[in-house]
Amino acid sequence: MIAAVAQYIIAVKHLDVMSKVLHTRNIEPIYDDEEGNRLRCSIGNSVIVFEVMYEGRKMAMRVYMRSNRNLRAIYGDNYYPQELLVNASDTECCLADVVLCDWQEGVSLQAKIEEVCHKPAKMLALSRMFEEFALSHLNERWAHGDIKPENIIVTNEGLRLIDFDAVYLEGFTRADCVETGTRQYQHPLRESGEFGRDIDDYPIALIATALAALSLDETLGLSVAGCDNLLISPHRAIKGEDMMLSRIENLFAERGDVRHYRIAKLLRSQQMALPQLKSLLEHPAVSNCRAEELTLEYYNGYWGYALSGRFVIQPLYDIAFDFSEGLALVKVGDVWHFIDASGEVVITCGRGTGIKPFRNGVTRIVREDGVFEIRRDGEIVQVKE
């Protein structure tokens, strides 16, 4: 029998008589009011997390309302099986598993997003912080299993994960999958019980896409507060039906942000594993090469620029031309841009046809609103015919 949440709270208030081992550890629950009646805790689907003091430091005491057979493998000696006696009714009791783990001081990434989503510079810093964290995490040999903004804490030292109950560890099989993460962030294929190191790929790509978009267009912040998802719906995205994702892809195309454009495109993937994600999250080092040193190279379906066989500008462009007069003409989505030898967008030409690399400092593009002459200094002038 499963007890009511209130009964778990009562049991924690009386650890001295309701616990088997923890009552000997001098654990003190933290109260949220001066009267000492309301414990500091948060309630999830299957666990209640209490703030407690243990040996002079704050810790998180996780009390489970449902069993999870992986807890010993995940938390080791911090796991206390059947530790807490909880009254399920007037005549029946149940024993709840408990995990005692470090408390991560800070605010959730979700709260931080809502705080800075209308401040582009701070949003950009948060986006870059997340990508640094994500790249490091993808190099681990384990997967979290439920990556979402609520499970990431923004601390003074960077981003930290919490809630490891859905984790994948080496040696786990599909049968060890007890949770499939939060639907609003997971690839829909996870519903079939897929379980492995790549289960974090999709939520990382989704959050990276959303944060980058918010840093470019603060009006997107209107869709953040109070929503169940972060701009994008995975179920609609893989069906090609998510209008917000299309809007974000257009935003990246118009800014010439080819790296985030490619990450956003991954969200349409019918595959849960996204092997390209790690390389896309890497911020390329700024090159000091001269344009004439770079050669146009084709790799894995896209064009980029290399020096002595090593890519200096990642191969991410569907269409690209050799450098001419110091700039290269490339296409991101359906938008044409000129980039310099560092890969930075110098001139945005818009959507159109007939455009070619510069010759004698001039080129043209035919757009829906007319024919335009584009000059090497960035000036764009409509041609009167």
Side-chain angles (χ1 to χ4, degrees), residues 11 123 268 304 353 365:
M123 196 69 237
R268 298 180 181 272
T353 61
I365 186 171

Side-chain angles (χ1 to χ4, degrees), residues 22-322:
L22 292 178
H23 72 275
T24 66
R25 303 294 174 86
N26 295 319
I27 293 175
E28 299 178 5
I30 299 175
Y31 287 83
D32 201 30
D33 58 339
E34 294 181 358
E35 292 77 19
N37 294 319
R38 187 171 63 248
L39 292 180
R40 287 190 189 173
C41 64
S42 58
I43 303 168
N45 292 329
S46 61
V47 64
I48 309 173
V49 183
F50 295 88
E51 297 180 40
V52 300
M53 295 299 296
Y54 174 55
E55 294 184 345
R57 62 192 179 109
K58 185 190 284 191
M59 300 196 74
M61 188 169 74
R62 303 176 61 83
V63 179
Y64 290 83
M65 296 181 283
R66 293 200 303 264
S67 63
N68 181 335
R69 61 180 179 273
N70 295 336
L71 294 180
R72 172 67 72 187
I74 296 169
Y75 293 104
D77 292 340
N78 293 322
Y79 169 56
Y80 299 84
Q82 297 188 316
E83 171 64 22
L84 195 64
L85 182 66
V86 181
N87 291 320
S89 68
D90 292 337
T91 58
E92 295 185 69
C93 296
C94 62
L95 291 169
D97 296 339
V98 174
V99 166
L100 195 64
C101 52
D102 291 335
W103 179 266
Q104 296 292 347
E105 199 64 56
V107 300
S108 72
L109 179 59
Q110 179 65 36
K112 196 67 175 177
I113 292 169
E114 294 181 14
E115 176 191 336
V116 304
C117 62
H118 298 295
K119 302 171 183 176
K122 291 186 176 181
M123 196 69 237
L124 177 60
L126 188 62
S127 173
R128 289 176 174 172
M129 182 187 296
F130 175 78
E131 291 182 11
E132 180 180 345
F133 151 81
L135 186 58
S136 174
H137 176 69
L138 288 173
N139 285 319
E140 298 286 352
R141 302 181 68 84
W142 55 275
H144 182 270
D146 193 17
I147 286 185
K148 58 182 178 179
E150 292 88 346
N151 281 344
I152 302 172
I153 302 299
V154 183
T155 75
N156 292 332
E157 290 77 37
L159 302 184
R160 298 288 184 270
L161 283 166
I162 59 172
D163 187 357
F164 296 88
D165 297 346
V167 79
Y168 166 83
L169 299 175
E170 281 194 294
F172 277 10
T173 68
R174 182 176 297 186
D176 294 308
C177 180
V178 297
E179 296 184 26
T180 55
T182 304
R183 285 174 176 263
Q184 290 87 343
Y185 295 91
Q186 301 297 321
H187 193 287
L189 276 181
R190 283 215 66 192
E191 293 179 349
S192 63
E194 293 293 331
F195 199 43
R197 285 181 61 188
D198 50 24
I199 55 178
D200 291 340
D201 290 6
Y202 197 89
I204 284 175
L206 190 153
I207 296 170
T209 296
L211 297 188
L214 286 164
S215 73
L216 294 176
D217 184 355
E218 61 182 280
T219 66
L220 293 175
L222 298 172
S223 303
V224 169
C227 293
D228 291 335
N229 59 356
L230 187 59
L231 301 183
I232 300 158
S233 163
H235 287 266
R236 291 198 295 269
I238 67 166
K239 294 178 181 178
E241 298 173 353
D242 194 298
M243 299 305 293
M244 178 61 79
L245 178 56
S246 296
R247 176 181 171 182
I248 289 171
E249 288 171 348
N250 284 331
L251 174 64
F252 292 147
E254 289 166 356
R255 299 298 183 96
D257 188 345
V258 69
R259 189 169 62 87
H260 287 112
Y261 179 80
R262 290 292 166 212
I263 295 175
K265 283 293 184 183
L266 294 179
L267 298 177
R268 298 180 181 272
S269 173
Q270 299 299 310
Q271 303 299 319
M272 194 175 67
L274 306 175
Q276 314 96 317
L277 181 60
K278 279 203 296 187
S279 63
L280 288 170
L281 286 170
E282 293 175 347
H283 287 259
V286 177
S287 169
N288 293 320
C289 302
R290 297 189 304 274
E292 57 268 23
E293 296 178 309
L294 300 180
T295 59
L296 182 63
E297 301 285 350
Y298 187 76
Y299 177 75
N300 204 25
Y302 300 105
W303 294 94
Y305 297 88
L307 175 66
S308 302
R310 181 180 63 86
F311 277 106
V312 175
I313 298 174
Q314 289 180 287
L316 301 176
Y317 299 99
D318 288 307
I319 301 175
F321 292 84
D322 286 311

